[in-house]
């Protein structure tokens, strides 16, 4: 759920004409509506604990979707600022890329950057969930368009605070054997070594390098998902094809929404990856790009407009399962928390 302000209430919310949710709509982000026929009535969980469980749920989903993040990073860095046809293509698609990485770097190569990814998911979603809940408490989400703005704002704040973890994740996922290397190779020994190396070389501000690409990325992804997911879910629910299975309905809606999110967010994702992974000179300045706009212009000039859509395949394939897995794990842990209490 690192790309959006999607909440479990939004994931599970059905049309008023539907009766899958016990007639108990959610009024707080920490107490989402839960389908009776899937996980029973919504349990009451202490809000701070609920935020922690939400972050842990996103971390659990990250374990399953991280290989797609590795492949996405490689595809987005392949042929960086090079005209098509002037470089060797190592990765030709999602499945082929997964096979190449697994064959060359081993199965562990498919989980590169997982530790940093888990840190990012935990921090980002903890901040995002807490910020969104605060907006709800202030009544901001009740205003027309307030939910959209709150989701985008909360996601942006979470992305900013967790940016160092995403920076390290990008560096580690870009690292590979020389035979299939793309982009700049930072050659970190691990997560802790990456944090220490970046801090010693670039100072504290260096840990937030590339954040100017990450924040708009999350805001655009959040806005696109919030704008399309609910309407897609209402459409699927009204069709009554899958009314007996709310999670299947949510998965289909997340897939439909994923198309819109992938189309709108991938250019920002490419720019974010490039800014994060670029090498730095002795003056702590990026060697390839001076900032968001400069990166956008250089990619379009050297690689063409389609260069901004590199890696869109894994971006799309990751969105739906990650969203649904996050919510499923969240609700399962909430049920267990209530039993423990």
């Amino acid at each position: 759920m690192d790309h959006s302000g999607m909440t479990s209430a939004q994931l599970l919310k059905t049309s008023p004409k539907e009766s899958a949710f016990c007639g108990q709509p959610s009024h707080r982000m920490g107490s989402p509506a839960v389908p009776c026929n899937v996980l029973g009535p919504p349990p009451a969980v202490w809000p701070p604990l609920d935020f922690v469980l939400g972050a842990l749920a996103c971390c659990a989903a990250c374990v399953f979707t991280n290989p797609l993040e590795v492949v996405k990073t490689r595809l987005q860095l392949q042929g960086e600022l090079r005209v098509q046809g002037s470089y060797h293509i190592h990765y030709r698609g999602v499945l082929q890329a997964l096979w190449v990485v697994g064959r060359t770097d081993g199965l562990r190569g498919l989980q590169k950057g997982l530790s940093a990814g888990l840190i990012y998911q935990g921090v980002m979603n903890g901040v995002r969930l807490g910020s969104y809940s605060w907006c709800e408490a202030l009544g901001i989400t009740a205003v027309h368009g307030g939910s959209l703005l709150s989701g985008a704002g909360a996601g942006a704040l979470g992305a900013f605070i967790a940016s160092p973890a995403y920076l390290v994740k990008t560096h580690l996922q870009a690292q590979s054997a020389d035979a299939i290397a793309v982009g700049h190779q930072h050659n970190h020994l691990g997560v802790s070594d990456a944090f220490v190396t970046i801090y010693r070389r670039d100072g504290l501000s260096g840990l937030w390098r590339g954040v100017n690409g990450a924040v708009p990325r999350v805001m655009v992804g959040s806005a696109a998902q919030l704008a399309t997911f609910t309407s897609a879910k209402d459409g699927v629910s009204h069709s009554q094809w899958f009314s007996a299975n709310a999670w299947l309905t949510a998965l289909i809606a997340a897939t439909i929404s994923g198309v819109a999110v992938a189309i709108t967010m991938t250019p920002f994702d490419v720019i974010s990856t490039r800014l994060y992974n670029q090498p730095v000179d002795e003056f702590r300045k990026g060697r390839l790009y001076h900032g968001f706009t400069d990166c956008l212009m250089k990619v379009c000039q050297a690689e063409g407009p389609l260069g901004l859509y590199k890696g869109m395949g894994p971006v799309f394939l990751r969105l739906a399962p990650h969203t649904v897995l996050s919510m499923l794990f969240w609700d399962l842990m909430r049920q267990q928390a209530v039993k423990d209490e």
Side-chain angles (χ1 to χ4, degrees):
M1 266 191 25
D2 59 326
H3 295 167
S4 72
M6 183 63 63
T7 70
S8 55
Q10 290 157 335
L11 178 73
L12 295 172
K13 181 181 178 183
T14 57
S15 166
K17 296 181 181 180
E18 298 296 321
S19 59
F21 296 102
C22 314
Q24 298 179 359
S26 171
H27 298 289
R28 287 190 55 77
M29 188 170 172
S31 302
V34 182
C36 293
N37 57 339
V38 178
L39 296 171
V45 180
W46 184 45
L49 175 60
D50 211 8
F51 300 150
V52 173
L53 294 180
L56 289 175
C58 292
C59 289
C62 178
V63 174
F64 293 93
T65 59
N66 190 66
L68 289 173
E69 277 287 304
V70 174
V71 168
K72 180 207 74 173
T73 300
R74 304 285 178 87
L75 287 169
Q76 290 177 343
L77 291 174
Q78 183 169 246
E80 185 171 15
L81 300 184
R82 302 277 297 276
V83 178
Q84 189 171 7
S86 65
Y87 58 91
H88 182 70
I89 300 177
H90 299 293
Y91 311 104
R92 298 181 181 276
V94 179
L95 295 179
Q96 186 264 358
L98 288 170
W99 181 77
V100 168
V101 173
R103 181 194 63 182
T104 308
D105 292 338
L107 293 178
R108 292 183 62 183
L110 292 171
Q111 289 290 10
K112 283 193 172 182
L114 178 61
S115 297
L118 293 176
I119 295 172
Y120 174 79
Q121 289 289 337
V123 174
M124 192 274 189
N125 285 286
V127 172
R128 184 178 59 80
L129 292 172
S131 300
Y132 190 90
S133 181
W134 182 66
C135 290
E136 283 186 320
L138 293 177
I140 298 176
T141 57
V143 181
H144 180 68
S147 178
L148 182 65
L149 293 175
S150 297
L157 179 61
F160 178 83
I161 295 176
S163 184
Y166 202 94
L167 170 69
V168 170
K169 180 185 78 72
T170 302
H171 285 190
L172 294 175
Q173 290 179 340
Q175 291 181 186
S176 64
D178 292 339
I180 58 171
V182 292
H184 181 72
Q185 300 291 294
H186 293 272
N187 297 319
H188 299 303
L189 300 179
V191 175
S192 58
D193 176 70
F195 278 113
V196 172
T197 300
I198 295 171
Y199 175 74
R200 287 177 176 173
R201 184 191 64 199
D202 303 327
L204 188 62
S205 61
L207 291 171
W208 269 267
R209 180 177 304 283
V211 71
N212 54 337
V215 170
R217 164 184 168 270
V218 172
M219 293 185 71
V220 169
S222 174
Q225 191 172 52
L226 286 168
T228 59
F229 182 86
T230 302
S231 58
K233 193 171 193 308
D234 285 343
V236 176
S237 297
H238 288 158
S239 71
Q240 298 183 344
W241 293 342
F242 306 103
S243 58
N245 191 327
W247 283 110
L248 183 57
T249 302
L251 177 61
I252 294 174
T255 302
I256 296 173
S257 176
V259 176
V261 177
I263 292 174
T264 56
M265 193 186 71
T266 298
F268 294 88
D269 206 18
V270 171
I271 293 172
S272 178
T273 298
R274 299 287 180 86
L275 291 175
Y276 273 131
N277 195 65
Q278 70 170 328
V280 181
D281 62 21
E282 62 273 17
F283 302 106
R284 299 179 179 178
K285 302 292 185 181
R287 292 183 181 273
L288 301 178
Y289 315 105
H290 299 304
F292 184 91
T293 305
D294 183 58
C295 181
L296 173 65
M297 297 300 295
K298 286 183 176 178
V299 171
C300 288
Q301 290 173 359
E303 305 170 48
L306 291 180
L308 293 172
Y309 283 91
K310 288 182 175 179
M312 188 171 76
V315 168
F316 168 70
L317 291 177
R318 176 187 174 279
L319 282 170
H322 186 88
T323 300
V324 176
L325 281 173
S326 297
M327 295 302 97
L328 178 59
F329 289 142
W330 192 358
D331 280 308
L332 290 175
M333 285 191 289
R334 294 173 82 247
Q335 292 283 347
Q336 187 61 46
V338 171
K339 291 181 181 178
D340 292 341
E341 291 177 0

